Amino acid sequence: MSSTHEHNYALQQVRYFTAEDLEANRKGQYSQAQLDRFKNERDFIQQSSGKYEKKGWLISLIFGAFLLFFAVVLYFLGVVDMFQNMLGSLFLPVMAGLCFLAALFVFVIAPRSYQSTVDMYKSMGTPMEQKPLGAIQTIEARARAYESRAGLDRNLHSVSSRVSYVLEMDSIKFLITESLMKLVEDKRLYRVYCVNDGGAWLLLSMETLE
């Protein structure tokens, strides 16, 4: 195990945070570089979220086309005729019910779910003036760093098959970079400075205590 000074110096060399960031965080403050980074991230979300707005019709079109293709395949495979023979006089009411549920999904549920996701993403870009950053939190605990194949977003929800890197401190998880993950020593005692932003825990800086 390297010395405290050597390890803390090495942590800053991965460029996840700087000495200025750490010094400001120790005082319960954000460095100017951190404030600028958060502002730029929120500005980017505000600018990019517009291209996802009012696309509910496209979601309906995609799901509608898929369901129609699926229905045509079932028809040519003889599945529809098979169900007609099985259900007899109930076939038409059952098909009407299925068509109603399909239309409900295509024209109501799918576009509303999509818009809800867009609204959640857009809220992450609320200007700093309207939604200031929360107070900096401090956690002291034994660390565990690992890679996840789940492909996690900032809220630690699985979104793809890409590799994500996670730092776990006292049951709280942070997304970090690969270089920082490789440097963090499991079960070593660290102090991390972090903030809960919109339900997601974000790592600001860290230092070892031993």
Side-chain angles (χ1 to χ4, degrees):
M1 181 183 290
S2 58
S3 70
T4 301
H5 176 76
E6 290 173 340
H7 193 58
N8 282 332
Y9 178 78
L11 287 173
Q12 295 176 24
Q13 300 313 299
V14 299
R15 300 185 183 281
Y16 192 94
F17 62 92
T18 65
E20 291 75 18
D21 295 335
L22 178 60
E23 186 61 30
N25 297 160
R26 284 171 175 165
K27 300 174 182 178
Q29 303 171 353
Y30 295 94
S31 70
Q32 188 58 51
Q34 288 173 332
L35 290 173
D36 291 342
R37 185 167 67 249
F38 277 110
K39 182 179 183 303
N40 290 337
E41 288 176 355
R42 293 191 181 190
D43 288 346
F44 173 78
I45 291 174
Q46 280 293 316
Q47 294 169 8
S48 62
S49 63
K51 63 183 179 181
Y52 302 111
E53 292 279 10
K54 299 179 181 179
K55 292 294 192 299
W57 64 270
L58 181 60
I59 299 301
S60 295
L61 180 63
I62 292 173
F63 279 104
F66 173 78
L67 289 177
L68 180 61
F69 173 77
F70 184 67
V72 170
V73 170
L74 292 180
Y75 176 79
F76 281 105
L77 289 176
V79 176
V80 175
D81 291 335
M82 181 182 69
F83 274 107
Q84 187 173 13
N85 294 330
M86 289 174 56
L87 297 174
S89 61
L90 293 176
F91 176 73
L92 288 179
V94 170
M95 288 300 297
L98 290 176
C99 289
F100 173 78
L101 291 177
L104 182 66
F105 176 79
V106 169
F107 296 108
V108 179
I109 297 176
R112 283 189 179 181
S113 178
Y114 171 80
Q115 188 58 47
S116 177
T117 302
V118 172
D119 291 341
M120 182 176 66
Y121 174 70
K122 189 175 181 179
S123 69
M124 292 164 53
T126 304
M128 302 277 279
E129 297 78 11
Q130 300 177 24
K131 185 182 177 184
L133 293 169
I136 294 176
Q137 307 292 319
T138 303
I139 301 175
E140 294 182 9
R142 301 286 173 181
R144 176 175 175 244
Y146 58 93
E147 69 176 44
S148 170
R149 297 284 174 178
L152 306 175
D153 63 12
R154 74 197 300 266
N155 290 305
L156 299 173
H157 297 148
S158 179
V159 293
S160 70
S161 58
R162 64 180 174 82
V163 178
S164 299
Y165 305 98
V166 181
L167 170 65
E168 186 172 344
M169 297 282 293
D170 196 22
S171 77
I172 295 178
K173 298 178 181 180
F174 306 93
L175 280 182
I176 57 175
T177 61
E178 180 182 10
S179 55
L180 183 57
M181 182 211 69
K182 290 180 177 179
L183 191 59
V184 172
E185 298 176 5
D186 282 355
K187 298 184 179 180
R188 188 165 185 165
L189 183 62
Y190 291 89
R191 177 190 292 132
V192 301
Y193 302 92
C194 55
V195 62
N196 190 307
D197 185 42
W201 283 100
L202 305 179
L203 177 66
L204 299 173
S205 60
M206 64 186 298
E207 57 186 334
T208 184
L209 300 178
E210 61 180 17

